Amino acid sequence: EVQLVQSGAEVKKPGESLKISCKGSGYSFTTYWIGWVRQMPGKGLEWMGSIYPGDSDIRYSPSFQGQVTISADKSISTAYLHWSSLKASDTAIYYCARALTTVITGSDFWGQGTLVTVSS
Amino acid sequence: DIQMTQSPPSLSASVGDRVTITCRASQSISSYLNWYQQKVGKAPKLLIFAASSLQSGVPSRFSGSESGTDFTLTISSLQPEDFATYYCQQSYSLPLTFGGGTRVEIK
């Protein structure tokens, strides 16, 4: 069974750093793109970027380029989303999702989401 | 970026109704259009990919169609478990972009 299991909810202060994770199982982790999607409170879905764990090829949305860092450790089948300095506007639920085929495709399996709250 | 415009933003319907949701792309995206269902507090679920292909395990009452840059998700007979928010997404070019969502509520 394909599963993406994300790390737990986080409460942070502005300016702090954070790395959340997404562990894949039940499939070949290195041969599917993993994307990250933001959902701000009461709002819609926004694609942030994706990584191909096989060779760490990364594509970012221009809206998120420079704001976050996407990485992966294929030895433990885990993808990451990292902030070096959080802002209150980063408060959102973040989902990881496996791409159907290439980076430019729909996502067939999703993690449960990680709620990140940034507040002073 | 390709803009995806969904309509209506919300609708009220009864169990058994036929429901149609529309998504318009700001430019040609061929058939690179996906539909998702999201229930409150849950992750999105892929329903339709490539405009009209039903994802495995999704009930056949869901269907997708296209006409130029207009795409339609149809629920042939609305069931209680279908009350949710629906999103379209283009996968023609990066950045991937979603429509604003359509909330389907109980009448």
Side-chain angles (χ1 to χ4, degrees):
Chain A
E1 177 193 10
V2 174
Q3 282 192 308
L4 295 174
V5 178
Q6 297 185 230
S7 49
E10 302 274 1
V11 180
K12 291 289 191 178
K13 296 186 185 324
E16 292 186 330
S17 64
L18 174 65
K19 181 183 276 191
I20 62 175
S21 65
C22 169
K23 183 173 177 59
S25 62
Y27 74 99
S28 176
F29 184 75
T30 56
T31 58
Y32 287 84
W33 287 82
I34 291 280
W36 288 95
V37 174
R38 182 175 78 174
Q39 188 165 39
M40 298 178 77
K43 302 299 183 182
L45 305 171
E46 301 172 272
W47 178 75
M48 303 174 71
S50 298
I51 186 167
Y52 188 76
D55 61 6
S56 290
D57 188 4
I58 303 171
R59 312 294 172 87
Y60 289 99
S61 165
S63 298
F64 292 93
Q65 179 92 45
Q67 308 304 308
V68 296
T69 302
I70 294 171
S71 62
D73 184 340
K74 60 185 179 182
S75 70
I76 55 172
S77 301
T78 301
Y80 301 96
L81 182 63
H82 174 253
W83 294 261
S84 58
S85 180
L86 286 160
K87 302 184 285 287
S89 58
D90 292 318
T91 295
I93 298 173
Y94 294 88
Y95 294 100
C96 63
R98 188 187 82 161
L100 273 168
T101 52
T102 68
V103 61
I104 308 182
T105 187
S107 295
D108 57 352
F109 287 93
W110 293 66
Q112 81 276 22
T114 296
L115 174 62
V116 174
T117 302
V118 184
S119 174
S120 54
Chain B
D1 298 4
I2 296 175
Q3 307 303 315
M4 306 302 296
T5 304
Q6 259 184 264
S7 60
S10 65
L11 64 90
S12 295
S14 300
V15 173
D17 283 353
R18 182 182 182 87
V19 169
T20 298
I21 298 168
T22 298
C23 184
R24 173 170 289 174
S26 61
Q27 66 181 72
S28 173
I29 59 170
S30 187
S31 298
Y32 294 96
L33 190 285
N34 312 300
W35 289 100
Y36 298 88
Q37 175 195 67
Q38 186 179 32
K39 296 183 179 179
V40 173
K42 299 295 186 182
K45 172 187 175 182
L46 181 65
L47 300 176
I48 302 281
F49 62 96
S52 59
S53 295
L54 195 66
Q55 174 66 358
S56 175
V58 174
S60 59
R61 63 180 179 274
F62 291 93
S63 63
S65 62
E66 63 179 293
S67 177
T69 57
D70 291 339
F71 298 84
T72 301
L73 174 69
T74 299
I75 310 172
S76 61
S77 177
L78 198 67
Q79 297 302 300
E81 60 268 29
D82 300 337
F83 292 95
T85 300
Y86 294 82
Y87 294 93
C88 62
Q89 177 205 37
Q90 66 81 18
S91 52
Y92 178 78
S93 67
L94 297 182
L96 304 176
T97 48
F98 292 88
T102 295
R103 184 175 179 183
V104 176
E105 301 173 319
I106 301 172
K107 181 183 281 186

